[in-house]
Amino acid sequence: MAHAAQVGLQDATSPIMEELITFHDHALMIIFLICFLVLYALFLTLTTKLTNTNISDAQEMETVWTILPAIILVLIALPSLRILYMTDEVNDPSLTIKSIGHQWYWTYEYTDYGGLIFNSYMLPPLFLEPADLRLLDVDNRVVLPIEAPIRMMITSQDVLHSWAVPTLGLKTDAIPGRLNQTTFTATRPGVYYGQCSEICGANHSFMPIVLELIPLKIFEMGPVFTL
């Protein structure tokens, strides 16, 4: 999860998030190079005597500064499209979870486990344990296995919500009357936090998401849900 004074992105816990971080660094380096080139040109303009009268007829320069931005856009667009298609792939998921957004809590349904349904509310400050996180912990966590493809079916019962877990690279809108889906494969066990990322009313800040990811062998041993 994020910590105080953090500058970069959260550590990746899924292959998709690893790709997003790589693309972020790739685009950031291109931006740094462009900024350096522009600042260098401005510096030369301000400190050099402009005595060259042929600059207005430099067709080679015009060709370069027309083609170079197009090449840069292609270098950014190709990996971006690749990641976009990767996020839409659904390849034989091992588990399907349905998440329903409400004002202001989440309902989860394990469709592969006899229709197990439970609500997940934010823990009030009076009920927090010493190790719990204020405004982030919930009464019922979503327990999922690692190293297994998981499909999330996301919808809403009232207004627009957004189911987002940054460390997994997930952010999918919950829209009333529409069922959106996303998939992920977690690579490390742990407890991961997210929040609703769509302004959905007065208590928008108080509907966190908590995923407890455990090894697949432990998950297959039996029920691990505490309701």
Side-chain angles (χ1 to χ4, degrees), residues 104 120-141 193 206-208 210:
W104 289 272
S120 181
Y121 292 87
M122 184 193 74
L123 282 177
L126 294 178
F127 293 88
L128 291 176
E129 299 293 334
D132 292 339
L133 299 174
R134 179 178 174 269
L135 301 183
L136 285 178
D137 262 302
V138 296
D139 54 357
N140 296 315
R141 295 175 174 175
Y193 297 88
F206 308 123
M207 48 185 307
V210 182

Side-chain angles (χ1 to χ4, degrees), residues 7-27:
V7 177
L9 302 173
Q10 297 184 29
D11 294 337
T13 314
S14 69
I16 292 296
M17 190 57 187
E18 292 175 359
E19 294 285 346
L20 289 173
I21 292 176
T22 302
F23 174 69
H24 169 269
D25 296 340
H26 166 73

Side-chain angles (χ1 to χ4, degrees), residues 65-77:
W65 72 42
T66 301
I67 296 178
L68 188 60
I71 296 175
I72 293 174
L73 289 177
V74 170
L75 292 177
I76 295 176

